[in-house]
Each structure stands twice: as structure tokens, then as C-alpha cells.
Amino acid sequence: MEDCIVIHIPHASLNLPKHFLEALVVEESDIQEENRFLSDYGVDEFLPRESAHVVAFDYSRMFCDVERFKDDEAEEMAKYGQGVLYTKDSNGRVFIEFDEDYRQKVLSEYYDKHHERLDEIATQALRENGICYIVDLHSFSDEFIEKFFQKSDNPDICLGYDSNYADLELIDLTKKHFKEYGFTIKRQLSLRRQHRTEQVFW
């Protein structure tokens, strides 16, 4: 079973490359706390020991968020200054300024290469097993959810999925597994329509 599972970890790193730091309009020390607040720092410690395929992004999401759409017009979080390349922190403060050359360099050398690697490993798992499950491993804080989405009734575990690709039987089994340990669970259906993402919880 492990051979057909690809675990994707997009937001666990705190690494910030030199060219990002050179483009800051605030002191580097001013963003360190924000970097930890926005990251899924430590979430990789939850990896099962037998994980066959793991794809982790090596840099902070403050530098490049590999789970955002490349086109800001299609990305809901871009209106908060947190599209594929963040320009604002969670308090709405601009912390970096860059030009189009910088943007294209980051997208081609980091974003695209990361997704090429993810596609390659997923394709390999699919070729070898006839099936592939991609699991995005995230964490979230109540403070973050309340700040951005004004939601306070947050579960211990959120099982987010896209209806076009999800195995609902597997999601139900996962939900049952965690409930047996006493965790509160919600399923989160992501509906992408006309460049808009709606979240449906139950």
C-alpha cells in the first residue's frame, strides 16, 4: 500500500533564500516570527516510518507557496497579498517588493521544478502500482483560520479534498480511524468554479 502513496509537504520549511532576503523592505528579524506562524513547521514529524514517496518543498511558503495557483487572477488568497509569491504578512503589512523578472525567476526555478518532481514521482507510483494517492500534509492554527476566514469552530483534523479526484471511501475510512482516537474531524470539500474556491464543511 505504501508504494502507491505520495506524501506532499509544501509548507514545513523555514528556509528563505538569499535573493528573497535581499528584496525585503523590512528587517529580516521582523519576519522570523511570521515565518514560523505561517509555516507547517514540524508537520513532517508525523510522517509514517514506511513512507515510500515524500515530496517536500525546501523553502518557506513566504518565499514561494507551491500550493497556490501561479496566476493571481485564479488564486483566492492573492487578494490578501498571499498568492504564489507573498507580498504581505498575516497583518496586511507589505514586507517585500520585487519586479516581474524576480517573479518569473522564482516560478521557473522553484515552483515549476517542484511540481515537475511531484509529477515525476506520482507518475512513477502510478506506473508501478496502477494507482496513486497523493496526500498533502498540512497543519493549521486556530489563530490563522480566525484571522483570515473568521471561523472559530475548528476541528482537530480537517480532511480536505477535491471532488474531481478524491476517493470518498478512503476519506471515510480515514475519518473513522481518527475518530477512534477521540479527535474531532471535518471533511472539507473544495469547489473550484470560475477561479473561485468555496469551502464546504461537514
Side-chain angles (χ1 to χ4, degrees):
M1 179 65 175
E2 291 84 1
D3 290 342
C4 65
I5 296 176
V6 176
I7 298 178
H8 182 221
I9 306 176
H11 301 146
S13 178
L14 296 175
N15 293 336
L16 297 168
K18 181 180 179 181
H19 46 281
F20 170 89
L21 297 175
E22 291 174 345
L24 292 177
V25 294
V26 300
E27 295 296 325
E28 181 180 346
S29 58
D30 291 341
I31 66 167
Q32 294 303 333
E33 183 176 351
E34 181 74 7
N35 192 20
R36 288 189 293 272
F37 173 66
L38 291 175
S39 78
D40 291 335
Y41 182 67
V43 73
D44 47 345
E45 296 178 8
F46 291 96
L47 281 176
R49 293 181 180 177
E50 301 301 322
S51 300
H53 305 292
V54 177
V55 181
F57 188 52
D58 294 329
Y59 296 91
S60 166
R61 69 192 304 182
M62 289 190 75
F63 162 62
C64 177
D65 193 329
V66 293
E67 284 215 315
R68 300 285 197 243
F69 289 119
K70 289 173 68 173
D71 180 4
D72 281 345
E73 292 295 320
E75 177 52 60
E76 177 73 10
M77 291 300 291
K79 68 184 180 183
Y80 300 105
Q82 295 190 357
V84 62
L85 303 186
Y86 291 17
T87 57
K88 296 180 181 180
D89 64 19
S90 61
N91 295 310
R93 179 183 63 164
V94 174
F95 65 84
I96 192 171
E97 292 180 356
F98 51 80
D99 57 19
E100 186 61 21
D101 287 342
Y102 173 97
R103 177 183 176 86
Q104 292 306 318
K105 177 181 175 66
V106 174
L107 292 180
S108 63
E109 296 185 9
Y110 295 87
Y111 184 97
D112 290 344
K113 287 184 178 181
H114 174 80
H115 281 279
E116 287 170 5
R117 180 167 172 251
L118 178 59
D119 288 345
E120 179 182 344
I121 291 178
T123 299
Q124 177 186 347
L126 185 61
R127 185 184 302 116
E128 293 174 353
N129 302 281
I131 192 169
C132 176
Y133 295 103
I134 299 177
V135 178
D136 282 321
L137 188 56
H138 291 276
S139 68
F140 59 89
S141 70
D142 288 339
E143 184 180 353
F144 181 89
I145 298 299
E146 290 173 9
K147 180 178 287 190
F148 279 95
F149 305 109
Q150 292 76 55
K151 293 181 181 293
S152 57
D153 184 22
N154 301 312
D156 296 320
I157 294 174
C158 175
L159 301 176
Y161 64 97
D162 187 310
S163 58
N164 292 326
Y165 306 104
D167 183 331
L168 297 182
E169 182 179 358
L170 180 60
I171 292 173
D172 286 338
L173 287 172
T174 304
K175 182 177 181 179
K176 180 180 178 181
H177 171 78
F178 284 118
K179 286 188 72 173
E180 290 176 353
Y181 286 90
F183 292 108
T184 57
I185 317 293
K186 284 187 179 180
R187 288 172 28 169
Q188 179 182 1
L189 171 62
S190 178
L191 304 175
R192 299 186 184 277
R193 296 173 180 169
Q194 297 178 346
H195 303 317
R196 192 159 54 91
T197 301
E198 302 173 18
Q199 308 296 343
V200 180
F201 290 89
W202 72 91

